[in-house]
Amino acid sequence: MSATLDPSADSECYLNGTFQPLSQCQVSVLDRGFIFGDGVYEVIPVYGRRVFRVDAHLARLARSLSAIEIANPCSGEDWLALVRELIARNAQDDQCIYIQVTRGVARRDHAFPRGVEPTVFMMSFPFPHIPVAKRASGVACITAPDLRWRNGHIKSISLLGNVLARQLSVEMDAAETILIREGWLTEASASNVWVVRNGCLCAPLRDHDKLEGIRITLLEELSREVGIKLEFRPIAEWELRCAEEILLTSATKEVLSVTALDGRSVSGGQPGSVSQSLYAAYQTAKVAQST
Ligand code: PDD
């Protein structure tokens, strides 16, 4: 394997019971993850070798597995032990732990195969910290129709709709693509989206159209802590377009301010006070709550 590949290429990963270098790790081409995208995943942030909100991530993994009828291959305790071992085997202090479980290897047939063990894969990559200058200026986003399936609450590895949506923003030199379904905000290609209207932080309802990000409950707690009013309700496209602030959240973006939408400036082109105070509270929480 070429040395010019991803710098994490020689990181340690885990596949079906064995820790091994990522560059040597192989799965069958008949794996249903490869053939059908038949599997689910998680991305868990690690700060200073400690995991942040890991119980919530493992609970969501259990919900995603149950939603697609794959028996959870590990108990919560076993997952946590594997996560900790993987962190220890990798060099960076700040990492992201990626977990993927697929339905396993079988002759190609859409129907669930019988008696097949799921494929369990985990890898670590360096936490992709957002440069300070980008955080200070905020990021540009574009909008696009949400053309994905109606089970966005499942953290499925079938991400073609998300991939195509994200590529639209890459081509416009923007950080994210915010998705609109029939006039309503859903989420972004790989983040949840929040708006500030009349000083109130608003998030779309938690439903099957979108992933319930682990940062949703966290921001509920943080907004209470810093005294920001929060409402969960349907958010119309026009409200997004005239929002005082727009925020993105995800495991890797943490809390990120959107300062331009479809080429028009948002919150005067600078991160607003709500995103600034939630970002600050997030920084405190990640230190205090990582275990
Ligand atoms: N993505 N919505 C979508 C479609 C996502 O892919 C993500 C995260 C989120 C935010 O979820 P959380 O706060 O739990 O990270 C919302 C991850 C980071 C990814 O696919 O890399």
Side-chain angles (χ1 to χ4, degrees):
M1 188 169 278
S2 153
T4 57
L5 282 176
D6 173 1
S8 62
D10 277 326
S11 62
E12 279 284 296
C13 67
Y14 171 91
L15 180 64
N16 296 333
T18 312
F19 286 93
Q20 53 191 286
L22 185 62
S23 54
Q24 286 168 31
C25 195
Q26 293 188 343
V27 288
S28 164
V29 291
L30 286 180
D31 191 280
R32 289 179 62 100
F34 183 63
I35 296 285
F36 293 118
D38 185 1
V40 296
Y41 77 107
E42 269 303 322
V43 178
I44 311 174
V46 174
Y47 300 106
R49 301 194 164 274
R50 298 185 305 159
V51 262
F52 188 38
R53 297 255 165 171
V54 67
D55 292 349
H57 281 280
L58 294 178
R60 185 174 63 187
L61 176 62
R63 289 198 301 278
S64 295
L65 285 166
S66 155
I68 68 164
E69 296 177 44
I70 293 179
N72 196 332
C74 295
S75 67
E77 259 174 40
D78 291 346
W79 278 124
L80 191 54
L82 289 174
V83 167
R84 292 206 191 285
E85 170 97 46
L86 191 59
I87 294 169
R89 285 170 177 262
N90 281 284
Q92 292 81 18
D93 288 342
D94 292 354
Q95 305 176 18
C96 282
I97 299 298
Y98 176 88
I99 303 179
Q100 172 171 314
V101 181
T102 75
R103 205 176 301 279
V105 178
R107 183 178 57 83
R108 185 181 182 278
D109 179 345
H110 288 62
F112 295 174
R114 286 170 185 271
V116 164
E117 289 295 310
T119 301
V120 178
F121 171 64
M122 298 170 69
M123 65 178 166
S124 161
F125 56 91
F127 190 96
H129 286 291
I130 292 178
V132 175
K134 200 172 191 181
R135 283 222 173 268
S137 63
V139 295
C141 289
I142 62 161
T143 57
D146 191 343
L147 301 174
R148 303 169 306 156
W149 73 328
R150 305 302 293 256
N151 280 316
H153 67 298
I154 301 171
K155 204 162 169 62
S156 162
I157 61 168
S158 310
L159 286 172
L160 187 55
N162 304 63
V163 166
L164 295 178
R166 174 68 185 107
Q167 190 58 26
L168 296 173
S169 50
V170 169
E171 282 157 17
M172 301 294 285
D173 209 16
E176 251 293 20
T177 305
I178 295 179
L179 301 170
I180 310 287
R181 181 172 277 154
E182 290 160 9
W184 302 96
L185 168 65
T186 54
E187 57 180 343
S189 76
S191 343
N192 289 115
V193 181
W194 311 67
V195 301
V196 178
R197 297 268 302 150
N198 305 315
C200 176
L201 180 64
C202 306
L205 298 173
R206 297 177 237 221
D207 59 22
H208 281 207
D209 278 347
K210 49 195 95 79
L211 186 72
E212 183 171 342
I214 299 309
R215 270 125 289 278
I216 291 184
T217 303
L218 176 58
L219 254 61
E220 245 182 317
E221 294 167 17
L222 298 181
S223 53
R224 208 176 304 128
E225 201 178 291
V226 299
I228 292 166
K229 198 168 160 255
L230 170 61
E231 251 179 26
F232 289 92
R233 62 170 177 81
I235 296 168
E237 178 178 356
W238 67 265
E239 293 185 283
L240 171 74
R241 296 202 180 281
C242 59
E244 290 142 37
E245 293 182 45
I246 302 174
L247 286 67
L248 302 175
T249 58
S250 79
T252 48
K253 296 182 190 79
E254 304 183 327
V255 177
L256 185 61
S257 178
V258 176
T259 48
L261 184 68
D262 290 334
R264 293 169 73 171
S265 139
V266 178
S267 77
Q270 299 227 306
S273 61
V274 171
S275 44
Q276 283 183 31
S277 58
L278 287 173
Y279 176 70
Y282 193 101
Q283 298 313 299
T284 309
K286 79 186 194 191
V287 174
Q289 295 179 21
S290 295
T291 53

